[in-house]
Amino acid sequence: MKMPNPNELWAIADRLESLFLRRNLKRLVARLSEIEKLKSSKFISVTEAKELKRRVNTAVREFAREFEKESKALQELMYENGWRIAARELDIKGTFQGIPRKALETMNQGLVFMRNYSSDLIRIAENEIAVAIMAGDSYENLIARLMGKIEQNGKRSIATMARDQLGRIMQIAAYDSLSENEELIAYYLWNNPNDERTTDWCRNRLYLNPWTVEDVKYCIENNPVEWKGYEIRDPDISSTFLHPHIQCRSVLTAVTKSAIKEGSTSEKELKGFGLEGKKFK
């Protein structure tokens, strides 16, 4: 029996994310390099500090606008890829009709992170400038310190945000594609790399495989923290059944009724789904 395999989705997400991050981090550094032109060995004055604040603010805001525009386009591409691959894996015939409203809302919520992030960068700059004025520091020292903090913060925060949003969209797309053909589905399966980075929440989902269509519907609508005595999502953040924690790599896949009729499931096919030893009708 053919089993679903979302490895292609993960490979696409990793490739798109890598290209996206490299391009945008280069852009942030390019924007900030304009500030470096202000470097000098003299002490910074209040008037000069205002001009520096203005330039930092402009650089970060322009970067954030460009990032948001590209981020939304990237997520839309990931959604379409995820939808098509999930349908193709199960030999489901369907035509991609565009991204539904709920998925678009999720994308827009992700962009709020970027707005908050750009505000954080500006606050970092303002704090550093205020300290430099009080300490009688030079432009050269201030800007070197400022560039280092903003770039370091950028690399860490942008990577986290991009990876998390791509995973979230990938999960939504896969489920949207499958749920449109619900009458063909025998049961759902959670699939993830199951390696050293896999969380207990995702290991529990593997252990609880398979999931009935009714159970998945219930969990999406009610978003329980626990299921059948096992914790299945992070209770401390705004996690969901489809995206149980930050930077989650799990994907919900399914097995069709017709695939079950073709023959029994072998041990090799069950490997990696937490289904070893379980019986199916």
Side-chain angles (χ1 to χ4, degrees):
M1 182 177 83
K2 182 180 178 182
M3 297 291 283
N5 186 352
N7 285 337
E8 187 178 353
L9 270 177
W10 291 322
I12 289 173
D14 288 344
R15 189 163 62 249
L16 291 176
E17 175 199 324
S18 178
L19 291 170
F20 179 74
L21 291 179
R22 282 203 302 272
R23 184 166 60 247
N24 278 277
L25 287 172
K26 283 180 182 177
R27 183 175 290 148
L28 176 59
V29 172
R31 290 285 186 198
L32 294 173
S33 67
E34 293 296 311
I35 299 165
E36 286 210 290
K37 294 176 183 177
L38 298 174
K39 273 188 177 181
S40 74
S41 58
K42 65 180 181 179
F43 294 125
I44 186 169
S45 68
V46 174
T47 303
E48 290 160 341
K50 285 181 180 177
E51 173 60 13
L52 185 55
K53 282 183 185 179
R54 187 189 69 76
R55 291 205 186 194
V56 170
N57 194 312
T58 300
V60 172
R61 295 297 184 199
E62 286 177 352
F63 166 72
R65 279 195 295 271
E66 291 165 346
F67 185 96
E68 283 190 12
K69 185 178 177 181
E70 285 201 6
S71 179
K72 191 162 186 181
L74 176 68
Q75 290 177 62
E76 288 173 355
L77 177 62
M78 190 68 244
Y79 182 95
E80 184 171 352
N81 271 293
W83 193 99
R84 291 183 186 281
I85 290 170
R88 190 196 70 206
E89 282 291 313
L90 298 185
D91 296 322
I92 291 173
K93 307 296 182 187
T95 304
F96 180 69
Q97 301 289 338
I99 303 172
R101 181 177 55 83
K102 280 189 176 181
L104 287 172
E105 286 174 358
T106 300
M107 291 180 192
N108 289 330
Q109 288 166 7
L111 297 180
V112 171
F113 177 100
M114 189 61 203
R115 291 165 203 149
N116 294 338
Y117 162 69
S118 59
S119 297
D120 287 343
L121 290 187
I122 290 169
R123 275 196 295 274
I124 288 171
E126 289 177 346
N127 289 339
E128 286 296 324
I129 291 168
V131 169
I133 291 174
M134 287 187 290
D137 210 347
S138 69
Y139 253 127
E140 194 166 21
N141 289 341
L142 166 62
I143 292 178
R145 195 165 62 242
L146 187 59
M147 289 285 285
K149 283 203 171 185
I150 289 180
E151 191 175 343
Q152 182 182 25
N153 186 281
K155 285 179 180 177
R156 183 174 60 251
S157 299
I158 291 171
T160 300
M161 194 280 281
R163 191 170 296 119
D164 190 59
Q165 271 306 99
L166 275 185
R168 191 182 297 267
I169 292 303
M170 182 172 71
Q171 290 152 332
I172 291 171
Y175 176 71
D176 285 351
S177 177
L178 297 171
S179 62
E180 285 183 19
N181 300 277
E182 198 173 83
E183 71 282 357
L184 304 177
I185 293 173
Y187 50 80
Y188 285 100
L189 297 171
W190 277 101
N191 191 350
N192 62 54
N194 199 19
D195 55 21
E196 68 280 355
R197 290 171 52 201
T198 302
T199 64
D200 287 342
W201 300 302
C202 289
R203 291 190 199 282
N204 287 342
R205 286 164 183 251
L206 285 181
Y207 179 78
L208 291 166
N209 275 339
W211 297 69
T212 67
V213 171
E214 292 74 22
D215 285 351
V216 167
K217 269 186 174 179
Y218 178 89
C219 289
I220 287 175
E221 289 171 6
N222 296 280
N223 202 27
V225 172
E226 290 189 5
W227 187 252
K228 297 182 179 179
Y230 292 87
E231 195 167 81
I232 57 171
R233 69 177 179 86
D234 187 346
D236 298 324
I237 62 167
S238 56
S239 59
T240 65
F241 178 69
L242 291 177
H243 193 71
H245 61 86
I246 290 174
Q247 298 188 59
C248 179
R249 297 171 297 154
S250 295
V251 179
L252 191 65
T253 59
V255 173
T256 61
K257 294 172 183 175
S258 61
I260 292 176
K261 289 177 183 177
E262 289 171 9
S264 61
T265 310
S266 70
E267 286 186 20
K268 183 178 179 182
E269 289 169 327
L270 289 173
K271 191 174 181 182
F273 289 91
L275 300 174
E276 293 83 348
K278 294 187 178 180
K279 306 282 187 183
F280 302 99
K281 293 181 180 180

